[in-house]
Amino acid sequence: MHKKLKKYIESYELIQNCKTQTLIPNAGMIVLINQETNCEIIIENISYKIESFQAVLINAYENPVYIQSNELINLIAIRFKGAGASFFYEEYMDELMHNPKEPIFIEKDIKEIELDNYFQNRFKASNLPFNIMKIIDLLDEQGSSYNIDEVLAIANVPRKILDKLFRLKTGLSFKTYAIVKEQYIKN
């Protein structure tokens, strides 16, 4: 992964040679890129079909997401750090917040060998009045024992505005984000 992307993307994971897979919540959004056979993802007991070569954006979530197929799966899961996905998929954030449990079908034919170029071309700088990735780093470091005064000092905006913008960019509240991230790190 290109060093510029590491600030926003936690990992690229290959999911191959299995018929089922469970994605453990990492407190960040995920892009699933289906490389071959049709499969389904199950979020909150609702099933969504993903066609071959289709990509979907999944909001940050608190419970596992399940992937299943009748054939062997060949997917790439791109796990974003906290608000990282909002720097690449800003145009989908409102839709995700209105339907947080539903995946957003984004595009087709994203190739594994072109991931770094794809994400570098999609990157758009934030227009927020504060550096949200500094807040994410602080929450990742301090976990659920984060100091809200320290978070507010970094943001330098009123708590109500920060709460709203944080949820819009990450899909989770501060508290939920910190708890889910702690659990992910323990696993």
Side-chain angles (χ1 to χ4, degrees), residues 126 128-133 135 154-157 161-162 165-166:
S126 174
L128 291 177
F130 55 88
N131 185 337
I132 194 162
M133 294 311 288
I135 294 170
I154 291 171
N156 197 27
V157 294
I161 291 171
L162 180 60
L165 290 173
F166 188 85

Side-chain angles (χ1 to χ4, degrees), residues 49-108:
K49 293 194 183 305
I50 304 177
E51 297 175 4
S52 357
F53 304 103
Q54 178 72 59
V56 295
L57 175 62
I58 300 173
N59 200 0
Y61 52 95
E62 298 174 52
N63 299 311
V65 170
Y66 303 98
I67 304 168
Q68 65 185 28
S69 177
N70 293 327
E71 301 176 48
L72 294 179
I73 298 169
N74 184 7
L75 294 168
I76 303 167
I78 295 89
R79 289 182 177 265
F80 289 89
K81 295 179 181 179
S86 67
F87 290 88
F88 302 91
Y89 298 103
E90 178 68 32
E91 69 270 28
Y92 298 110
M93 292 300 113
D94 283 341
E95 186 177 349
L96 264 179
M97 292 307 111
H98 286 94
N99 302 302
K101 304 295 183 193
E102 294 180 21
I104 305 294
F105 293 85
I106 50 178
E107 40 194 298
K108 285 192 169 197

Side-chain angles (χ1 to χ4, degrees), residues 4-179:
K4 175 182 169 184
L5 300 174
K6 288 183 180 185
K7 181 176 179 180
Y8 308 98
I9 298 174
E10 190 168 281
S11 66
Y12 297 156
E13 294 176 27
L14 293 176
I15 302 171
Q16 298 175 315
N17 302 320
C18 57
K19 291 186 177 183
T20 63
Q21 181 73 22
T22 302
L23 297 176
I24 308 167
N26 73 324
M29 294 177 192
I30 293 179
V31 168
L32 283 178
I33 302 171
N34 191 359
Q35 294 292 289
E36 286 182 28
T37 58
N38 295 346
C39 63
E40 4 177 68
I41 55 172
I42 302 164
I43 303 171
E44 303 279 325
N45 296 318
I46 299 174
S47 180
Y48 303 91
K49 293 194 183 305
I50 304 177
E51 297 175 4
S52 357
F53 304 103
Q54 178 72 59
V56 295
L57 175 62
I58 300 173
N59 200 0
Y61 52 95
E62 298 174 52
N63 299 311
V65 170
Y66 303 98
I67 304 168
Q68 65 185 28
S69 177
N70 293 327
E71 301 176 48
L72 294 179
I73 298 169
N74 184 7
L75 294 168
I76 303 167
I78 295 89
R79 289 182 177 265
F80 289 89
K81 295 179 181 179
S86 67
F87 290 88
F88 302 91
Y89 298 103
E90 178 68 32
E91 69 270 28
Y92 298 110
M93 292 300 113
D94 283 341
E95 186 177 349
L96 264 179
M97 292 307 111
H98 286 94
N99 302 302
K101 304 295 183 193
E102 294 180 21
I104 305 294
F105 293 85
I106 50 178
E107 40 194 298
K108 285 192 169 197
D109 299 323
I110 303 169
K111 306 286 188 251
E112 178 184 351
I113 59 171
E114 300 168 359
L115 282 179
D116 277 2
N117 285 336
Y118 169 78
F119 284 114
Q120 286 180 45
N121 290 333
R122 282 208 59 92
F123 179 80
K124 292 183 181 61
S126 174
N127 57 1
L128 291 177
F130 55 88
N131 185 337
I132 194 162
M133 294 311 288
K134 275 189 177 180
I135 294 170
I136 297 296
D137 289 343
L138 177 72
L139 293 175
D140 288 353
E141 180 183 301
Q142 295 182 359
S144 59
S145 61
Y146 67 89
N147 180 329
I148 191 61
D149 292 330
E150 203 172 339
V151 172
L152 290 170
I154 291 171
N156 197 27
V157 294
R159 171 78 187 258
K160 190 173 181 179
I161 291 171
L162 180 60
D163 286 341
K164 183 178 179 179
L165 290 173
F166 188 85
R167 183 178 291 277
L168 179 67
K169 298 297 181 185
T170 65
L172 301 170
S173 68
F174 288 116
K175 184 176 182 177
T176 303
Y177 175 86
I179 290 169

